Amino acid sequence: MTAAAPRALVLSGTGRYADPWHPFAETSSALAVLLREAGFGVETPDDVDAALAGLAAPGRSAPEGPVDAGLPGLLVVNLGLPRDGRPSPGTPEAMAGLRRWLADGRPMLVSHVSSTSFLDFPEWAEALGGRWIRGTSMHPDYGHAEIRVRPESGGLVEGIADFELLDERYSYLQTAPAINVHATHTYEGLEHPVMWSLDRGPGRTFYDALGHDAASFESPEHRELLLRAIAWLTA
């Protein structure tokens, strides 16, 4: 019998997690293309908080060890910061689902503006390896970006050259010492990380500060880095 394809749950900027600056439908679609190329089935629910709450469902046991019934193999986060005055995540059940995902050491791919979200979840910055800090973090105007790949960061970037693309260049993000920075850009004479991995122990996170719109995913180097990140996350 052929094994079922692993599933990726894509939390996209819909409903209260949408914003007027980011075309989440097109960037989540671009991420879904990469996930399918990597062998994943893709689910993109309309209700982010309900999907997070579903991650707290109890698992089942099998002779070879614990198995989580119905849970996806990868969580992909591509959403904004709600501006409706309610918490983010929006319910205790949603917070419990995200907390369980991280406590169980499950993998997470996080994209672009998601570093601003989940302000009411204390573990978010730690799980991400950094975050956007209001009043400190910023980005120059959208446009041409020159990205430097750091070959010293390991096999994930082996053979990938520096590249250019159209995007926002996040700058002055807060970052944790434990992250492994794979790519940077230079702004105001400083190198700023835009792609990093984090071994959470247990669990892995990969954060991609690029990906403002679909044009970002036209870069073959950007796409290849994300494909390798997906493989690393789920190895």
Side-chain angles (χ1 to χ4, degrees), residues 55-66:
L55 300 179
R60 59 183 172 82
S61 296
E64 65 274 16

Side-chain angles (χ1 to χ4, degrees), residues 142-215:
Y142 174 95
H144 177 79
E146 297 180 358
I147 306 301
R148 183 176 94 77
V149 176
R150 301 183 66 178
E152 68 273 18
S153 66
L156 195 148
V157 302
E158 184 176 357
I160 299 179
D162 296 347
F163 60 99
E164 301 177 6
L165 75 174
L166 293 174
D167 216 320
E168 288 180 339
R169 295 175 290 151
Y170 279 14
S171 306
Y172 302 106
L173 297 173
Q174 179 189 72
T175 57
I179 65 171
N180 186 9
V181 178
H182 300 290
T184 66
H185 79 91
T186 300
Y187 178 67
E188 294 186 335
L190 298 174
E191 272 198 287
H192 301 269
V194 292
M195 301 182 88
W196 69 69
S197 59
L198 173 66
D199 192 334
R200 302 194 311 266
R204 291 176 169 181
T205 297
F206 190 92
Y207 174 63
D208 177 19
L210 302 173
H212 174 77
D213 62 12

